Amino acid sequence: MATMETPVSARTHALVFLHGQPGSGADWQQVTRLLPAHWHTVAADRPGYGSNPRPATGFAANAHDVFAQMDAHGIQRAVLVGHSYGGGVALAAASMAPHRVEAVVLLASVGPGCVNVWDRLLAAPGTGPLCALVAWRLTPWIARARLAWLTRRQARPLAPGEHVNWQIWGHASRGHGRLWRTFLAEQRALVAELSQVQAAIALVQAPVLLLADPDDRLVPFGTTGELAKMLPDAHLELVEGAGHHLPIRAPGVVADALVAFLGRCFRQGAPLGG
């Protein structure tokens, strides 16, 4: 006898959102408000950011923080959604504890081939601290000046999805004394630990959705292509015209992709992979 399949929107899902570098849990607000209201969503600040008291650290320790967040919210298994640096954290967590990760969604994630000369310079023992400190003192000031000029030129306030990179850096001066150290710690982890994350990709058992813009200027699209090849169960979707900051520039596309992806992965209330 045939059974009627329950719509994915009628099922309860637990999703943990991991922001990029720099960033905060608030980066996901536009996405989470578009998801079914009964879904359990957690979008906390990662270590070293905002309200998270834990010190900035690398991918593996960030992954342990993810599990601590899940435990605090009573979540045994979750869908991990990571943007940029947060994508590396999601991959690390999925490889470390496959039994706790039902699916992974990567938005413009770090991965093979994403580390460039500038990244290595920022992570270097001598130049890294100086460059990170200068970046956190000067870049927010330059960004605020740029935003003010753009606002005057347009004769109206900027929308959240306009000139996102400038807006992120324009607000980065809040608590910059802590954030430049967070930035430095994560840059060093990016250079030192990314190869370990890549080596563990084959251990990721959960299905993975990859979202990226081919014209991303911060993480090369080739990185997403390599992840699609290396991950055992991956599906790639293009989000053209959104750049790197997909959660802010294309929240509707991201939310729709999430719902559709989980709809394909879950069937008749069975867990992913079941």
Side-chain angles (χ1 to χ4, degrees):
M1 179 178 178
T3 58
M4 183 176 296
E5 192 167 308
T6 305
V8 67
S9 59
R11 302 185 183 119
T12 298
H13 298 279
L15 295 88
V16 177
F17 292 85
L18 305 167
H19 65 80
Q21 172 210 40
S24 72
D27 294 347
W28 296 103
Q29 287 180 352
Q30 295 183 74
V31 174
T32 56
R33 68 166 58 108
L34 296 174
L35 299 175
H38 62 280
W39 285 13
H40 188 175
T41 61
V42 177
D45 298 329
R46 292 195 295 101
Y49 293 97
S51 60
N52 194 321
R54 302 190 184 194
T57 185
F59 293 108
N62 260 268
H64 285 296
D65 187 75
V66 169
F67 300 134
Q69 293 281 353
M70 290 171 60
D71 292 339
H73 288 84
I75 299 172
Q76 181 58 35
R77 301 184 74 209
V79 177
L80 303 185
V81 186
H83 172 235
S84 194
Y85 198 98
V89 177
L91 287 171
S95 66
M96 290 167 56
H99 63 287
R100 302 207 65 179
V101 179
E102 291 186 323
V104 179
V105 180
L106 303 177
L107 287 68
S109 176
V110 297
C114 75
V115 175
N116 56 35
V117 174
W118 178 241
D119 289 319
R120 297 187 185 281
L121 178 65
L122 287 171
T127 58
L130 177 61
C131 290
L133 180 58
V134 170
W136 280 100
R137 288 190 180 277
L138 294 184
T139 308
W141 179 85
I142 295 171
R144 289 194 300 271
R146 176 70 174 176
L147 291 170
W149 178 81
L150 290 167
T151 301
R152 288 195 301 271
R153 189 183 70 170
Q154 298 180 179
R156 63 171 176 79
L158 296 176
E162 293 182 292
H163 305 285
V164 174
N165 204 42
W166 286 119
Q167 292 203 50
I168 289 175
W169 279 103
H171 293 91
S173 59
R174 299 172 182 174
H176 68 79
R178 182 190 186 197
L179 285 177
W180 81 265
R181 292 181 174 86
T182 295
F183 184 80
L184 176 61
E186 292 199 335
Q187 281 298 124
R188 288 178 168 172
L190 179 66
V191 172
E193 298 181 17
L194 188 59
S195 60
Q196 300 170 24
V197 175
Q198 293 171 192
I201 284 178
L203 301 177
V204 178
Q205 301 175 7
V208 180
L209 173 64
L210 297 158
L211 299 176
D213 182 353
D215 293 327
D216 189 337
R217 296 182 180 180
L218 295 182
V219 173
F221 184 68
T223 292
T224 301
E226 287 301 310
L227 285 172
K229 295 176 184 177
M230 297 171 65
L231 287 160
D233 184 4
H235 175 71
L236 170 61
E237 293 185 17
L238 305 184
V239 186
E240 297 185 5
H244 182 68
H245 300 286
L246 303 183
I248 300 174
R249 292 286 304 279
V253 175
V254 172
D256 288 345
L258 265 170
V259 173
F261 174 60
L262 295 183
R264 293 192 299 269
C265 294
F266 280 84
R267 62 182 185 276
Q268 192 60 31
L272 290 165

